[in-house]
Amino acid sequence: MLKKWLGITLALLFLIGLTACGEDEKVDENAFVGDKVDYEIIGIDPGAGIMGQTNDVLSEYGLKEKWELTESSGAAMTASLDNAIDDKEPIIVTGWIPHWMFIQYDLKMLKDPKKVYGGEEKIKTLIRKGLKEDMPNAYKFFDQFHWEPEDLQKVMLKIEDGQSEQDAAKEWVENNEDLVNTWIKGVKPGNGAELRVPYVAWADVIASSNVIKYVLENKLDFEVELLQVEPGPMFASIADGSADAMIGAWLPSTHAPYYKKYKNDLVDLGVNLTGTRNGLVVPAYMDIDSIKDLKAEK
Ligand code: PBE
């Protein structure tokens, strides 16, 4: 009898212990944001401009000691964000506008009072030297290519919703004839001439590269080979002439290190989109507003 009671009591004690542990592990709603997210910021691929900027953010805001920027990829970052939002858990990621994630989720970009991310940026078109002379019509097209963040965001969202990159590009182009006509105005068909376009697998550059490929191939009879590469080689291939044009250079801040390195060996065709922004992004349900809030002692 005694043995039995002892057994039950022990079992009960064990259960109580377990519950207590469980509660300890739960995120305390009032805890400091750093403790809630284990002082981790989910980044993307290491060569991305936003990764260098985020490292500068950690230094400039005095966060270097405690905080860690984790490398992943654009796709893995959005997957982590999606999981966290499903469970209403806290998370901090590196993010940028335009991006479908701002349409899909209720998010906020943390204020950056020190402007380490550089504020509003532009996307530029860069081409290899000699393209103007060798392929004046392709040159004219790239020179005339220009659109708005909302356009790009629409294509990105279609891809995220499950459409293939090619179909999303096609649908957008066919629905935006007036704008597309300004890009191809006065451009003579390429008669099958080949163009090599390097791009990095970031949601925005995937979308824009597929759009220009569709236009060049279906409205102008060029052949476009899209080459998926790392950020460094994207710039290097234009500078050494092994590729013809890239349309995803974020400047003046994001890609400043690459631009500085290669600017004398390529041709800058100017801005194709205005109004991008980089930063640290959190779900709207988190109670922080500024990068400054990541520092414990305020
Ligand atoms: N991005 C999107 C890129 C440029 C385009 C912000 C992730 C980068 O950080 O290099």
Side-chain angles (χ1 to χ4, degrees):
M1 185 68 175
L2 186 66
K3 232 183 173 181
K4 192 177 166 196
W5 276 112
L6 199 64
I8 291 172
T9 316
L10 276 178
L12 268 176
L13 278 176
F14 181 68
L15 263 179
I16 293 167
L18 263 188
T19 333
C21 278
E23 261 165 21
D24 272 357
E25 275 166 23
K26 240 191 171 171
V27 192
D28 174 0
E29 290 287 325
N30 299 316
F32 174 60
V33 59
D35 295 313
K36 286 188 190 171
V37 300
D38 275 336
Y39 293 88
E40 187 188 22
I41 294 167
I42 313 285
I44 56 169
D45 38 309
I50 201 171
M51 293 296 276
Q53 291 179 320
T54 306
N55 273 315
D56 293 344
V57 160
L58 295 185
S59 309
E60 295 282 321
Y61 287 87
L63 303 167
K64 196 109 229 170
E65 243 174 69
K66 298 212 91 176
W67 288 81
E68 187 119 14
L69 172 63
T70 308
E71 288 174 5
S72 77
S73 68
M77 177 275 289
T78 51
S80 303
L81 185 65
D82 189 71
N83 283 338
I85 290 176
D86 266 356
D87 300 340
K88 225 173 170 241
E89 302 236 319
I91 185 168
I92 306 178
V93 302
T94 56
W96 59 95
I97 296 167
H99 196 292
W100 57 261
M101 65 183 178
F102 287 92
I103 303 178
Q104 199 93 323
Y105 311 112
D106 197 2
L107 301 173
K108 52 187 171 185
M109 190 173 269
L110 298 182
K111 289 196 187 92
D112 173 20
K114 295 184 187 230
K115 291 237 180 297
V116 182
Y117 284 111
E120 192 179 277
E121 292 238 274
K122 297 170 195 313
I123 307 184
K124 293 182 118 184
T125 301
L126 308 178
I127 59 166
R128 69 166 165 86
K129 283 189 169 171
L131 187 76
K132 187 177 184 179
E133 293 73 28
D134 308 346
M135 303 177 87
N137 285 294
Y139 172 90
K140 194 172 170 67
F141 169 81
F142 283 111
D143 201 27
Q144 293 179 163
F145 167 60
H146 186 283
W147 58 348
E148 303 298 326
E150 304 78 66
D151 299 316
L152 176 48
Q153 202 146 275
K154 272 185 205 152
V155 186
M156 273 194 254
L157 194 63
K158 285 181 207 279
I159 298 172
E160 172 51 21
D161 282 346
Q163 230 175 353
S164 74
E165 294 158 8
Q166 294 76 11
D167 286 352
K170 177 179 176 185
E171 196 180 299
W172 184 88
V173 170
E174 300 301 349
N175 284 335
N176 289 272
E177 217 171 296
D178 289 351
L179 178 58
V180 172
N181 282 339
T182 65
W183 305 346
I184 62 177
K185 196 169 175 226
V187 180
K188 294 200 189 94
N191 301 321
E194 280 172 29
L195 286 165
R196 290 161 64 81
V197 174
Y199 74 103
V200 180
W202 296 313
D204 55 302
V205 190
I206 291 172
S208 57
S209 300
N210 275 281
V211 164
I212 59 134
K213 176 181 162 81
Y214 182 81
V215 175
L216 281 161
E217 292 191 338
N218 294 281
K219 309 280 171 196
L220 292 169
D221 195 23
F222 283 89
E223 282 291 323
V224 178
E225 191 182 352
L226 294 186
L227 308 150
Q228 195 195 312
V229 294
E230 299 289 315
M234 176 165 71
F235 285 82
S237 63
I238 299 298
D240 71 16
S242 60
D244 298 298
M246 57 172 274
I247 55 165
W250 284 44
L251 291 161
S253 302
T254 313
H255 291 147
Y258 295 120
Y259 188 74
K260 262 187 211 133
K261 187 166 172 193
Y262 295 112
K263 71 170 188 294
N264 293 326
D265 300 315
L266 46 77
V267 179
D268 182 344
L269 276 189
V271 173
N272 64 50
L273 181 147
T274 300
T276 75
R277 191 174 285 275
N278 291 338
L280 293 183
V281 174
V282 300
Y285 54 74
M286 282 178 73
D287 63 352
I288 53 170
D289 293 299
S290 166
I291 299 174
K292 278 189 169 167
D293 298 335
L294 303 185
K295 201 148 165 81
E297 62 280 2
K298 284 183 202 149

